[in-house]
Amino acid sequence: MSKVAIVYHSGYGHTKKLAEAVHAGVASAADTSVDLIAIDAEGNITEAQWALLDAADAIIMGSPTYMGSVSWQFKKFADATSKPWFSQKWKDKIGAGFTNSATMNGDKLSTLHYLFTLGMQHSMVWVGTGLMPANSKAAQRNDINFVGSFSGLMAQSPSDSSPEEGPLPGDLDTAKLFGKRVAETAARFNK
Amino acid sequence: MSKVAIVYHSGYGHTKKLAEAVHAGVASAADTSVDLIAIDAEGNITEAQWALLDAADAIIMGSPTYMGSVSWQFKKFADATSKPWFSQKWKDKIGAGFTNSATMNGDKLSTLHYLFTLGMQHSMVWVGTGLMPANSKAAQRNDINFVGSFSGLMAQSPSDSSPEEGPLPGDLDTAKLFGKRVAETAARFNK
Amino acid sequence: MSKVAIVYHSGYGHTKKLAEAVHAGVASAADTSVDLIAIDAEGNITEAQWALLDAADAIIMGSPTYMGSVSWQFKKFADATSKPWFSQKWKDKIGAGFTNSATMNGDKLSTLHYLFTLGMQHSMVWVGTGLMPANSKAAQRNDINFVGSFSGLMAQSPSDSSPEEGPLPGDLDTAKLFGKRVAETAARFNK
Amino acid sequence: MSKVAIVYHSGYGHTKKLAEAVHAGVASAADTSVDLIAIDAEGNITEAQWALLDAADAIIMGSPTYMGSVSWQFKKFADATSKPWFSQKWKDKIGAGFTNSATMNGDKLSTLHYLFTLGMQHSMVWVGTGLMPANSKAAQRNDINFVGSFSGLMAQSPSDSSPEEGPLPGDLDTAKLFGKRVAETAARFNK
């Protein structure tokens, strides 16, 4: 049985919806339990949630991309991880990251590079999407990995879409496959 | 009169087409001359072309994104710039960058971050697209800056498109505006 | 007369000391006024300080590197810049960045890459250190640009140093030269 | 028995020396075989060496940092990996990276971010140094991870040092620990 924790911040609900799709993907993997942890509007999580992170075999981190990187609430969480960092408590956990923003690119890779950098400071072992992009002339917006990311999951929700409207179905399907991949990687690493 | 040089590598012709659109944008600016320099298939340019770069007020660098960064031919050119770097001959030139790849994201930001990093080593002053992204529900693929980049220009050409088919018209229009912006920035900086 | 604003967050005083050295460098430039704006412990600045930023010809942004990027307080400020971003109020201002951390590398470049990315979203024109690194066998810790950065200023203060002890004198001298360069670039761009 | 391959380019011999230290670290791990593959001055490796990479459980990639990223010879190798990439032949191999340059920072993180980005395109699972930095006032240049990197190994050799003189002993010891960590991660992942 391997344990996966998803910790994310969502400002308007789009990243929450994405996190739920990642959650569904993790839950679809064999012999895996999963916890979904929302960072609150002040950038905090509870002591019980910190304990879940400490106990996890894999931690998937998610944030919207705001002004070119993670939201400040996610960063406040990240700064607070200096405590487990100091004793390298998260060493050798599987790490992964996801993000959503309104623009097709919109510096989403900057966010994923940051999540990776944070994971490396914690001596995590990083896993990406493992998905080829849909990039031929016949490609459709709702194809798997149309947004086209490797280092982690990227989703896009138009600036005036509600969380019901965005992220689009293809991005949510991509999120499920990504969640499943992280879970399977954790299972393999911890068997 | 300000002088702009565009130096680029193109493997299959798509980045060449993009470079030509950037060229058209630069040429549309007042009191500006422009040179278009193609790095050859072995990663070389001529002595006369090096002299054009040395004499330019602005250098715009372009490359396809191959395997997550600039092509090796572009990198060979970049490595050869260690000569002007050593004497900081390009200090205070305006710098800018552009890239094309098949995938919507596809690590294009990694390429632009590299071009910026190279520009900073040369003590250039860097200018991006200056264009807001098209990211509402009503946005269309051929809108200006639909691909959605700030640090430099990004274009996307499907993996099975010919250079005649890609980059798409909206990306080429975006390239023209980007070229014009670089030229105007150089003119302002050198007046 | 050109106006430069320095906006920074400091958690323990080291980055404040660095900001003051940058300030001294800016102030040493001809025909330049300079404002030093500290982001508070909750990530806020005053309305009057926002007005100073709006009025500036150049904005220099500074933050410690915490857990691989800017502090959450700086990021809260960055997220709040979405308001001037929306109307591109800061377009064509000169932008620059600096950071301090305990470790020689310690992912400081990740912080500078973020500050650059933020600057590009605001359509700023970016300027780095313009300083060659001290990297020969004879190089000493207090040489100019010993830490060795181009994209912005990096300083290093040992983890157990007080703000009186760190950043080291050479890094502070480097900061002065960096501040002067930004001021002179702004003056040239706005003459 | 797990198989580790180290593939690197060295221009002047410093990165070769670093690669040999990584090799020694890998070889010190239990039940591990290791191959050391040098990319030649034209950016090529042999068919037999490609086969070693295909057969490896882990691939450690190394390059000097030249002008802000990997050398062009390494990039030529990276571009040639588009062949195994296309069929995702390297999926789920452990990946890791290292670099050397003359300057303490000198954009080495840009190189490591590139190696990571390449690894992610290949759907590798990425492992960093797993080493805390030496960053107190008492820290000495030859302490483990004094250069201070997490995402991969960084070493520094003064610009006028011979390969016999640089990288320094502490960086070589750090390289051994890094190699051992990669080997142990591969063993755990493939048991």
Side-chain angles (χ1 to χ4, degrees), chain D residues 120-180:
Chain D
M120 287 296 108
Q121 292 211 0
H122 282 287
S123 300
M124 289 177 168
V125 176
W126 198 260
V127 59
T129 59
L131 297 168
M132 292 296 270
N135 61 17
S136 70
K137 283 188 283 187
Q140 299 291 316
R141 177 63 187 86
N142 278 317
D143 287 350
I144 294 297
N145 206 18
F146 176 85
V147 182
S149 178
F150 303 95
S151 306
L153 176 72
M154 291 182 185
Q156 182 254 345
S157 309
S159 56
D160 52 353
S161 66
S162 68
E164 286 69 41
E165 296 168 310
L168 295 180
D171 292 358
L172 296 174
D173 288 343
T174 305
K176 283 175 199 161
L177 293 171
F178 166 71
K180 189 156 189 276

Side-chain angles (χ1 to χ4, degrees), chain C residues 22 76 89 97 109 114 167:
Chain C
V22 174
K76 190 174 171 189
K89 201 184 269 190
L109 185 58
Y114 172 64

